[in-house]
């Protein structure tokens, strides 16, 4: 066993010990920011009894004593986890149906209300709920096409034509420096909305109409491509907007945009976009950060293991062998962010420390770091990225 593998196993053991000692601090119950993430960690540890015990604790935590910030997001997240466990054979349909019977109608009400707010965001708006029901359709016989029809009407209504590219775009609902801008990325931007349209196409909903919107949106994004820059796509089309959010991570910038192009190319059979995705990933594969100016910690959302895991997902699913050296680089970078401080197994998140859940969480903390390390150690499929909507 080589030194790196020994170090990885020791790190996972340290993470597990800290989780065991601190899991009670969670106020959120979902996967990305809460207690259900611990369940997923134990799933990858192959400790199924603990996995199901923490799942039960998370579901029980969705009650009148809930102290987290976003109970609906936690409900959505746990619903996706239940379907994932059903796929993996550790739960069956009868085990989980009670959950959806209790919560589907509530989420549907939120979706309907969100249409009045003109906020399409897959993070904070209508498409967050839509993506939940698309996932439900894949795992049940329920028909949500009436809901989807209203959403598609709203997507068309809020689209704007770009005279230069002849494509379409949507303005972000988030204010940056006191105004709303046209973001490009997969989370709050044009590609995020496009990715939900790709999911509509994948389930066969209004395919011709949806594909026209996808093609127009991708025309617009493609037209924003830069030359002679570290990154191929800007954070937004407004050149004076602070682009700090486009730093090299899986939430913003080129990696998410590459994912959107690749998925469009494969699902909608548009080869040019599949090729463009591979070009973006090839460009990204040469980026290094030895002075730690782009990446400041190891976590999934903003750190080195997020980048390594994302690229490993592509390497496995799309057979992009040119990513192997880059994956090894970002995986090894993780060691540089670990200190001797044992409080959080030696890790310390840079962002969102104000959130009591952050240091332990899947998104910013050691639950996510542990899950990624387990996937590397066991040579698994990195399907945990589906909980931040990366599925190939």
């Amino acid at each position: 066993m080589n030194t790196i593998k020994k170090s990885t196993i020791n790190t996972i053991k340290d993470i597990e010990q800290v989780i065991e000692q601190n899991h009670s601090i969670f106020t959120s119950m979902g996967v990305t920011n809460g207690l259900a993430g611990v369940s997923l960690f134990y799933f990858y540890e192959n400790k199924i009894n603990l996995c199901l015990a923490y799942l039960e604790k998370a579901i029980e935590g969705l009650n009148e004593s809930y102290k987290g910030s976003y109970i609906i997001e936690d409900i959505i997240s746990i619903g996706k986890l239940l379907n994932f466990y059903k796929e993996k054979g550790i739960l069956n349909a009868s085990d989980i149906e009670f959950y959806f019977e209790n919560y589907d109608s509530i989420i549907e009400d939120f979706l309907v209300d969100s249409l009045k707010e003109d906020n399409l965001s897959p993070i904070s708006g209508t498409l967050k709920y839509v993506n939940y029901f698309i996932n439900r359709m894949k795992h049940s016989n329920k028909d949500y096409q009436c809901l989807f029809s209203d959403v598609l009407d709203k997507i068309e209504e809020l689209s704007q034509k770009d005279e230069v590219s002849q494509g379409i775009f949507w303005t972000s609902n988030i204010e940056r420096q006191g105004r709303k801008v046209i973001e490009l990325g997969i989370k709050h931007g044009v590609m995020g909305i496009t990715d939900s349209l790709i999911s509509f196409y994948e389930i066969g909903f209004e395919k011709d109409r949806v594909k026209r919107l996808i093609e127009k949106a991708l025309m617009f994004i493609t037209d924003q491509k830069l030359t002679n820059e570290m990154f191929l796509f800007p954070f937004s089309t407004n050149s004076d907007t602070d682009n700090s959010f486009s730093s090299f991570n899986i939430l913003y910038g080129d990696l998410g945009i590459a994912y959107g192009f690749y998925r469009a190319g494969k699902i909608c059979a548009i080869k040019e976009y599949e090729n463009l995705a591979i070009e973006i990933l090839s460009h990204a594969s040469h980026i290094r950060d030895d002075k730690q100016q782009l990446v400041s910690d190891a976590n999934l959302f903003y750190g080195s293991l997020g980048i390594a895991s994302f690229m490993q997902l592509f390497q496995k699913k799309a057979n992009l062998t040119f990513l192997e050296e880059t994956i090894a680089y970002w995986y090894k970078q993780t060691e540089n962010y670990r200190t001797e401080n044992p409080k959080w197994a030696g890790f310390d998140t840079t962002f969102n420390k104000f959130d009591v859940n952050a240091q332990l969480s899947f998104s910013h903390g050691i639950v996510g770091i542990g899950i990624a390390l387990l996937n590397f150690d066991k040579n698994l499929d990195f399907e945990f990225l589906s909980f931040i909507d990366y599925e190939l």
Side-chain angles (χ1 to χ4, degrees):
M1 182 183 293
N2 61 39
T3 304
I4 291 178
K5 192 169 180 69
K6 284 182 180 178
S7 174
T8 297
I9 291 172
N10 290 336
T11 301
I12 293 168
K13 287 180 179 177
D14 290 345
I15 288 171
E16 182 173 10
Q17 183 176 17
V18 174
I19 291 171
E20 289 173 352
Q21 293 169 348
N22 293 277
H23 66 81
S24 62
I25 73 169
F26 277 119
T27 60
S28 293
M29 295 296 116
V31 173
T32 58
N33 204 41
L35 193 60
V38 176
S39 172
L40 190 62
F41 174 84
Y42 282 114
F43 169 79
Y44 284 112
E45 277 262 69
N46 201 30
K47 296 179 178 179
I48 301 305
N49 287 339
L50 280 172
C51 163
L52 296 178
Y54 278 100
L55 172 64
E56 185 175 352
K57 285 177 182 286
I59 294 172
E60 289 173 351
L62 302 173
N63 58 35
E64 63 278 359
S65 300
Y66 175 86
K67 295 178 181 178
S69 302
Y70 308 106
I71 191 168
I72 292 300
E73 291 181 10
D74 286 354
I75 290 169
I76 289 171
S77 180
I78 291 173
K80 192 162 188 175
L81 184 63
L82 290 170
N83 283 325
F84 179 78
Y85 286 163
K86 187 182 78 169
E87 281 186 338
K88 298 302 176 185
I90 65 172
L91 292 174
N92 57 50
S94 62
D95 293 326
I96 67 177
E97 196 54 40
F98 78 96
Y99 185 89
F100 299 111
E101 288 174 355
N102 284 333
Y103 289 118
D104 277 5
S105 61
I106 295 173
I107 297 171
E108 184 174 335
D109 288 342
F110 271 86
L111 191 161
V112 172
D113 287 344
S114 75
L115 288 170
K116 303 169 188 174
E117 300 172 2
D118 290 351
N119 177 9
L120 294 175
S121 169
I123 302 299
S124 62
T126 297
L127 294 179
K128 171 173 63 178
Y129 311 113
V130 167
N131 291 342
Y132 169 84
F133 285 115
I134 289 173
N135 184 261
R136 288 284 290 123
M137 278 193 71
K138 293 177 180 178
H139 296 275
S140 71
N141 295 320
K142 300 290 180 70
D143 186 351
Y144 301 102
Q145 295 201 42
C146 288
L147 279 177
F148 295 161
S149 183
D150 291 340
V151 172
L152 190 56
D153 288 344
K154 180 62 70 171
I155 290 172
E156 287 186 325
E157 175 192 331
L158 295 178
S159 68
Q160 302 172 63
K161 184 176 180 180
D162 176 57
E163 296 299 335
V164 176
S165 65
Q166 296 299 299
I168 59 172
F169 63 88
W170 298 268
T171 302
S172 172
N173 202 60
I174 295 177
E175 286 196 356
R176 308 285 186 190
Q177 300 178 350
R179 61 188 174 136
K180 295 177 180 178
V181 298
I182 306 166
E183 297 181 29
L184 296 183
I186 193 74
K187 294 306 173 187
H188 299 289
V190 177
M191 189 60 90
I193 295 169
T194 307
D195 193 49
S196 291
L197 288 169
I198 294 167
S199 294
F200 275 159
Y201 186 90
E202 184 179 28
I203 62 173
F205 175 70
E206 292 268 17
K207 291 183 73 171
D208 292 339
R209 183 180 171 197
V210 164
K211 190 173 183 180
R212 285 194 296 271
L213 290 168
I214 292 168
E215 290 174 330
K216 290 287 187 181
L218 296 181
M219 283 171 58
F220 173 78
I221 297 171
T222 303
D223 197 58
Q224 312 308 311
K225 187 168 177 280
L226 304 172
T227 56
N228 302 317
E229 299 284 349
M230 178 178 289
F231 302 117
L232 294 180
F233 291 88
F235 171 69
S236 81
T237 62
N238 303 76
S239 59
D240 59 339
T241 302
D242 179 9
N243 283 352
S244 61
F245 287 96
S246 66
S247 57
F248 200 51
N249 59 59
I250 65 174
L251 292 189
Y252 303 103
D254 284 7
L255 296 183
I257 287 173
Y259 168 83
F261 277 129
Y262 187 83
R263 197 159 170 261
K266 295 295 285 187
I267 291 173
C268 304
I270 312 173
K271 188 68 176 178
E272 65 182 281
Y273 289 125
E274 186 180 341
N275 292 338
L276 178 54
I278 293 171
E279 177 190 338
I280 297 167
L281 290 170
S282 177
H283 182 88
S285 72
H286 298 292
I287 294 174
R288 298 291 182 266
D289 190 34
D290 294 330
K291 296 182 179 180
Q292 297 183 11
Q293 295 175 328
L294 294 175
V295 175
S296 57
D297 54 47
N299 71 35
L300 288 184
F301 272 22
Y302 299 103
S304 57
L305 272 173
I307 297 166
S309 297
F310 178 92
M311 291 188 170
Q312 184 75 341
L313 177 71
F314 263 96
Q315 196 275 332
K316 283 178 168 289
K317 298 292 186 179
N319 195 30
L320 302 183
T321 55
F322 66 80
L323 291 175
E324 288 178 359
E325 181 181 337
T326 306
I327 293 164
Y329 170 82
W330 287 105
Y331 177 80
K332 195 171 188 306
Q333 280 291 97
T334 302
E335 298 175 17
N336 297 331
Y337 299 113
R338 198 172 183 207
T339 69
E340 297 300 318
N341 187 339
K343 185 172 184 182
W344 304 114
F347 296 101
D348 185 20
T349 184
T350 303
F351 299 102
N352 291 345
K353 289 183 183 180
F354 63 86
D355 185 347
V356 68
N357 304 283
Q359 296 281 16
L360 272 183
S361 70
F362 173 95
S363 58
H364 292 73
I366 61 173
V367 167
I369 290 170
I371 288 171
L373 290 175
L374 284 163
N375 272 257
F376 275 107
D377 182 57
K378 298 181 178 183
N379 193 27
L380 302 178
D381 288 334
F382 292 78
E383 292 174 300
F384 64 90
L385 291 174
S386 67
F387 293 98
I388 43 177
D389 298 322
Y390 288 132
E391 300 181 66
L392 290 177

